[in-house]
Amino acid sequence: MATMNAVQALNLALSEEMERDKDVVVLGEDVGKNGGVFRVTEGLYDRFGPERVMDMPLAETGIVGAAIGMAFYGLKPVVEMQFMGFIYAAVEHLFSHAARIRTRSRGRFTASLVVRTPYGAGVKALEHHSESAEALFCHMPGLKVVVPSSPLTAKGLLLSAIRDPDPVLFLEPTRLYRMLKEEVPEIDYTVPLGKARIVREGTDVTLIAWGSMLQRAMKAVEGFNTEVIDLLTLSPLDEETVLQSVKKTGRVVIVHEAPSMCGLGAELSALIAEFAMLHLKAPILRVTSYDVVLPLPKLEAYYLPSIEKIRKAIETVLQY
Amino acid sequence: MPEQIVEPLIKRLAVLDEKGNETVTPAPSLTDEELKRMYELLVLARTFDQRALTLQREGRLGTYPSILGQEASQLGSALASEKGDWLFPSYRESGVYIALGFPLHMLLQYWAGDERGMRVPEGMNVLPVCIPVGTQIPHAVGAAMAAKYRKDRAAAIVYFGDGGSSRGDFHEGMNMAGVFKLPVVFLCQNNQWAISVPRDRQTASKTIAQKAVAYGFEGIQVDGNDFLAVYKATRDAMAKAKEGGGPTLIECVTYRMSDHTTADDASRYRPKEETEKWKARDPLLRMRLYLEKKGLWTEAYQKDAEAHATAMVDEAQKNAESVAAPDPKDMFTYTYAGLTQRQAREIKDF
Ligand SMILES: Cc1ncc(C[n+]2csc(CCOP(=O)(O)OP(=O)(O)O)c2C)c(N)n1
Ligand SMILES: [Mg+2]
C-alpha cells in the first residue's frame, strides 16, 4: 500500500494494466513525452515506448475515430481527451459508432475502449476547461459513463473500465486530481462498474452525488442523519441502491455541478418518482449549478453548489 | 516523355534577413512615420506580454499564453487589415488585439478571469478569444461568405497554429473557401510546437502552406519573424481577396519562445538549444536593425518607445485592477437575450 493522489492512482492503473495486457494502448494529445497536461500518463512513454503511448496530431474527431477502429481490430485503446470541453468534435464517433457498433453488427464487432477526460469546475481555468457535460453522454444507450471520487475508486474503476466489453467515458474530476490522498493498494483490485457505493449510512435523508461534489456533500451532511450515495457509474445507473435508500429515508437531495436543465438529477428524480413515490415524505430537491454558461474564475465560486446551499436543501426536506 | 510537374513548389517570402538587411523581396511601401508607428506597436505588444506574465506569477492573472517571438506574425498581419475586415483570433493573439487598438485594460481583465474584458468595442470586427483549437476557422469562412453575399469590400483573417492545421475544421473550412472562392486569409502561425507536440507530429508534409494547393488556392510560406514580410504577404492576400481572387493560406514560420502557457513547462519536452537558436531571429530586433539602417532608430528613440509602452501598460493594469468585481447576477445576463423562467427563479439567490 502506498499513499497517493488520484493522478498517481490513475497512472498506476494504466501502467499495471499495460504491463498485464499488451493490447492496451494510450493515445491522445501530449500524453507521450509530456506525460499528459495533468501528468496522468507520466512515465508511460519511457516505459512502454511510442508504439503504445501515442502523441497524436491535434484532432479530436480523428483520435476517437481511430481508437474505435483499433477497438474493432481487438486492441484496448485508452484515449486521453485533454479536457471535456474539447470532446464535442468526437461526439459523432462516440454516439454514432462506439455506442452502436455492437447493435449494428449484432455483437460481431464491439468498441471496447476508454475515453478518459478531466472534467468539472473549481480550478480557476480558462473557458471550456471546466465542463460538466456528463448528462449528454448518459443519454446515449451503448455508452457507459463513470466518475471516480477518490484515488482508491479512480484506480479500481479505471481497471474495470479498460476491461469492460463496452465503450466507457471515464470522467476525472479535475479538482480532485491532487486534492485528496489515500492508501491505494498496488495490487490488481477493481471497483465494479454499474455499482454505487454508500459512503455514509443514515436514516433521514438520502443525498446523491458524484465526482468532486461528493466532497462538498460530505461536509454539508455533518450533523444530519443523512445517507450519502456516491454513484460512481452514472450510466448504467445502480437503480437498486438508490431506490433502496430512498425507501428507507423518504427524503432525497441530489447534488451536481452541471446545470439543472436535463441534468442527471432530473433522471434520478424521475426514477425515484416512478418507483418510490409512495415512500417520499418531501419533494425531491436538486442542488445544481445555475442554468447559465459556466462563468470564468471571477464568478465560478458563485456558480457551483455551495455547502450552505446543500445544507439548506437538507433542512428543507427534513422540515417539510 | 518525362513526367509532368503539375503543381508549383511553395514560395517562402522574406523581406529582411536576420541583420535587418533587405533581401530578394522589396520592402512594402511604408512611410517612415508608418514604420515607426508599427515598430512602437511591436514594442507595446512585447511590453504587454511580459507584464501579463509577471502578473500571472504574482497571482493577479489566470493562465496566460505568451506571444513572445510571434509579435511580427501577429501585428504584421493584423495591421494589414482595414476597417470593415473581420478577424478571428485563437487564444494566443494578444498582438492581434493590440494592433487593432483593443483596450489593453480589458485584455488584462479577461485574462484575470473576468468575461467583461471580452466585450469587443463597437465597430471593431474582431471576435473574442477562441479556445477550442481550430474551431474559429469555419466561422471566418462563413463571414467571408456573408461579405461576398452582401458585396462588401471586406475580407476575413483567421488565426490558428500548426496544431490547428490538424483539425477537421481547418480542412473543411479551407475546402469551402476554395469551392466558393471566398475573401478569406488563413493565417497559420507555425510556431513549431503544439504544447509538447512538435510540428513534424502534426503533418508529414513539408510545409503547411502546401495544403492550400489541394484545396485549389495559393499557399505561401513567410518568415514569420520578419514583420515586413508578414505585412506584405497579408496585405497582398487581403487585396486579392477583395478583388475576388479568392482565399490564401499564409504559413508564418515562427517560434513559440515561451512555455505553451503559464501552466506549462517546456523544459520537459524541448531542447534549450532550439530556443536559443531562435533568439537570434527575434522579430523586434530585426525590425530595429532595419530602422537603424534607415536612420530611423536611435538609443533615445528606443528608450522613448519603451517608456511610452510601459506607461500605457501601467495605466491598463491600474484600470483593470480598479474595476469593481463582477456582480454574480452578471452570470445570467448573456445566456439568452432575455431571462428564462428558470433563470428568473435562480437569479433570486443573489
Ligand atoms: C479542440 C482543442 N483541443 C485541445 C485543446 C488544448 N490545447 C490548447 S492549445 C493546444 C495546442 C495548440 O497548438 P497550436 O495549434 O500549434 O497553437 P499554439 O498553442 O502553438 O499557438 C492544445 C492541445 C484545445 N484548446 N482545443
Ligand atoms: Mg503551435
Side-chain angles (χ1 to χ4, degrees):
Chain A
M1 293 271 245
T3 307
M4 59 182 82
N5 62 30
V7 169
Q8 294 163 318
L10 291 163
N11 181 269
L12 184 63
L14 287 170
S15 61
E16 281 181 5
E17 198 63 0
M18 290 182 82
E19 201 63 69
R20 269 190 293 267
D21 183 353
K22 280 249 169 336
D23 285 337
V24 176
V25 295
V26 166
L27 63 157
E29 292 159 10
D30 306 285
V31 294
K33 271 214 180 102
N34 200 30
V37 294
F38 287 104
R39 312 285 180 249
V40 172
T41 59
E42 178 142 45
L44 300 181
Y45 179 87
D46 289 334
R47 182 153 163 205
F48 299 102
E51 293 80 23
R52 288 185 74 188
V53 183
M54 296 169 251
D55 269 330
M56 299 296 280
L58 205 166
E60 286 75 11
T61 310
I63 293 171
V64 172
I68 290 172
M70 291 176 186
F72 291 169
Y73 200 96
L75 295 187
K76 287 255 174 183
V78 180
V79 172
E80 177 172 300
M81 188 58 57
Q82 205 159 80
F83 284 92
M84 193 179 201
F86 307 133
I87 203 171
Y88 304 122
V91 159
E92 177 166 45
H93 286 288
L94 289 171
F95 286 10
S96 299
H97 298 296
R100 307 169 77 113
I101 190 64
R102 181 186 293 283
T103 302
R104 186 184 302 140
S105 71
R106 308 283 88 194
R108 167 68 174 84
F109 294 105
T110 55
S112 168
L113 62 91
V114 178
V115 177
R116 306 176 25 246
T117 189
Y119 109 115
V123 292
K124 297 203 172 301
L126 299 174
E127 196 189 351
H128 309 289
H129 290 66
S130 307
E131 302 301 288
S132 197
E134 66 270 32
L136 290 180
F137 297 88
C138 293
H139 184 65
M140 201 48 63
L143 282 184
K144 293 187 177 178
V145 182
V146 173
V147 186
S149 55
S150 64
L152 196 69
T153 54
K155 184 183 172 202
L157 284 169
L158 184 54
L159 289 175
S160 294
I162 298 173
R163 294 172 194 175
D164 197 83
D166 287 302
V168 179
L169 178 64
F170 193 87
L171 303 174
E172 300 169 359
T174 317
R175 243 163 70 81
L176 298 184
Y177 267 146
R178 294 173 195 277
M179 193 166 100
L180 306 172
K181 281 193 168 194
E182 65 183 344
E183 295 275 308
V184 175
E186 286 156 289
I187 51 155
D188 184 357
Y189 75 93
T190 55
V191 173
L193 302 194
K195 199 84 200 82
R197 86 186 157 126
I198 294 177
V199 194
R200 182 186 195 265
E201 299 209 14
T203 54
D204 298 348
V205 183
T206 297
L207 189 149
I208 308 171
W210 54 93
S212 80
M213 281 301 121
L214 184 71
Q215 299 306 320
R216 276 193 194 187
M218 290 304 282
K219 289 204 185 100
V221 298
E222 275 167 27
F224 295 110
N225 193 342
T226 302
E227 182 142 294
V228 178
I229 299 179
D230 175 7
L231 281 183
L232 296 176
T233 301
L234 309 187
S235 178
L237 265 180
D238 182 357
E239 302 185 357
E240 256 172 51
T241 300
V242 170
L243 292 174
Q244 236 166 45
S245 174
V246 173
K247 284 177 186 168
K248 180 173 74 177
T249 64
R251 299 181 188 87
V252 187
V253 172
I254 302 160
V255 183
H256 62 66
E257 68 168 273
S260 67
M261 182 75 182
C262 293
L264 195 64
E267 169 58 36
L268 287 162
S269 308
L271 175 80
I272 293 163
E274 275 182 80
F275 297 104
M277 176 76 119
L278 299 179
H279 297 265
L280 290 178
K281 299 171 189 147
I284 303 162
L285 288 192
R286 289 177 286 166
V287 185
T288 71
S289 291
Y290 296 105
D291 289 78
V292 301
V293 175
L294 208 157
L296 292 182
K298 292 265 186 214
L299 290 178
E300 193 179 33
Y302 296 100
Y303 170 80
L304 292 172
S306 64
I307 292 176
E308 301 78 76
K309 271 177 78 177
I310 302 171
R311 288 184 70 85
K312 234 177 93 189
I314 295 171
E315 281 162 9
T316 307
V317 295
L318 280 171
Q319 285 159 12
Y320 191 81
Chain B
M1 199 175 88
E3 260 177 31
Q4 255 184 301
I5 306 287
V6 293
E7 283 291 340
L9 298 171
I10 295 298
K11 272 196 303 204
R12 160 93 70 114
L13 184 78
V15 171
L16 301 179
D17 68 12
E18 284 174 27
K19 301 273 173 277
N21 300 307
E22 286 191 48
T23 58
V24 275
T25 314
S29 57
L30 288 163
T31 64
D32 290 354
E33 283 322 302
E34 284 171 330
L35 280 170
K36 282 168 77 174
R37 187 179 63 88
M38 289 175 176
Y39 179 69
E40 286 153 27
L41 278 171
L42 285 168
V43 172
L44 177 62
R46 178 154 301 175
T47 308
F48 174 89
D49 193 63
Q50 292 303 305
R51 179 69 58 87
L53 291 172
T54 307
L55 292 175
Q56 193 281 334
R57 271 193 298 273
E58 292 170 354
R60 294 150 90 174
L61 226 60
T63 304
Y64 175 77
S66 169
I67 62 164
L68 187 67
Q70 297 179 220
E71 296 91 343
S73 294
Q74 301 194 0
L75 285 107
S77 53
L79 288 171
S81 69
E82 297 171 314
K83 212 171 158 48
D85 293 335
W86 283 69
L87 287 86
F88 294 80
S90 78
Y91 45 86
R92 193 190 302 291
E93 247 81 80
S94 296
V96 170
Y97 291 101
I98 289 170
L100 299 176
F102 195 96
L104 296 182
H105 73 278
M106 288 175 71
L107 286 180
L108 289 176
Q109 201 183 342
Y110 171 75
W111 290 110
D114 183 345
E115 38 272 278
R116 291 175 303 173
M118 269 298 139
R119 176 71 173 80
V120 178
E122 295 301 330
M124 197 181 273
N125 298 332
V126 62
L127 271 287
V129 162
C130 178
I131 290 179
V133 169
T135 52
Q136 68 277 24
I137 297 171
H139 305 162
V141 171
M145 287 181 97
K148 191 173 175 182
Y149 172 74
R150 290 224 183 128
K151 301 191 168 39
D152 289 337
R153 203 187 140 78
I157 308 180
V158 58
Y159 291 87
F160 53 95
D162 40 310
S165 77
S166 295
R167 291 257 318 187
D169 300 87
F170 167 76
H171 296 276
E172 294 174 30
M174 296 259 291
N175 186 47
M176 290 179 208
V179 167
F180 291 98
K181 220 171 180 204
L182 297 174
V184 53
V185 173
F186 298 92
L187 200 125
C188 178
Q189 286 170 80
N190 168 10
N191 64 3
Q192 315 304 329
W193 292 90
I195 309 186
S196 72
V197 182
R199 214 258 21 182
D200 63 10
R201 292 299 298 244
Q202 295 298 342
T203 174
S205 72
K206 200 161 167 187
T207 68
I208 292 171
Q210 74 200 65
K211 291 173 190 286
V213 175
Y215 297 110
F217 56 90
E218 188 191 358
I220 173 174
Q221 239 189 18
V222 174
D223 181 338
N225 289 12
D226 178 350
F227 176 88
L228 294 177
V230 176
Y231 180 79
K232 181 178 164 38
T234 314
R235 205 188 54 185
D236 292 353
M238 291 294 274
K240 178 179 92 179
K242 291 173 195 176
E243 298 300 322
T248 310
L249 168 61
I250 300 175
E251 175 187 358
C252 293
V253 181
T254 181
Y255 195 78
R256 192 193 83 208
M257 292 299 290
S258 62
D259 295 329
H260 169 68
T261 64
T262 50
D264 176 49
D265 173 9
S267 72
R268 290 174 63 89
Y269 53 78
R270 78 179 179 185
K272 239 198 154 89
E273 305 79 65
E274 187 183 288
T275 319
E276 284 303 314
K277 201 179 72 187
W278 278 86
K279 259 193 188 151
R281 304 180 191 157
D282 180 61
L284 267 70
L285 174 66
R286 193 173 315 182
M287 191 64 175
R288 193 189 96 181
L289 292 171
Y290 174 69
L291 293 186
E292 197 173 2
K293 288 190 172 81
K294 287 181 74 86
L296 299 173
W297 185 94
T298 61
E299 291 280 359
Y301 169 68
Q302 178 73 20
K303 277 219 177 78
D304 273 2
E306 280 171 12
H308 184 63
T310 303
M312 282 184 73
V313 175
D314 284 347
E315 175 77 10
Q317 183 187 331
K318 206 181 77 200
N319 288 341
E321 293 186 338
S322 59
V323 172
D327 184 336
K329 284 197 179 90
D330 183 75
M331 279 192 289
F332 296 85
T333 314
Y334 297 104
T335 319
Y336 301 99
L339 284 189
T340 62
Q341 293 177 13
R342 185 172 300 213
Q343 288 180 318
R345 193 167 64 235
E346 291 174 342
I347 203 169
K348 291 199 188 110
D349 283 0
F350 300 102

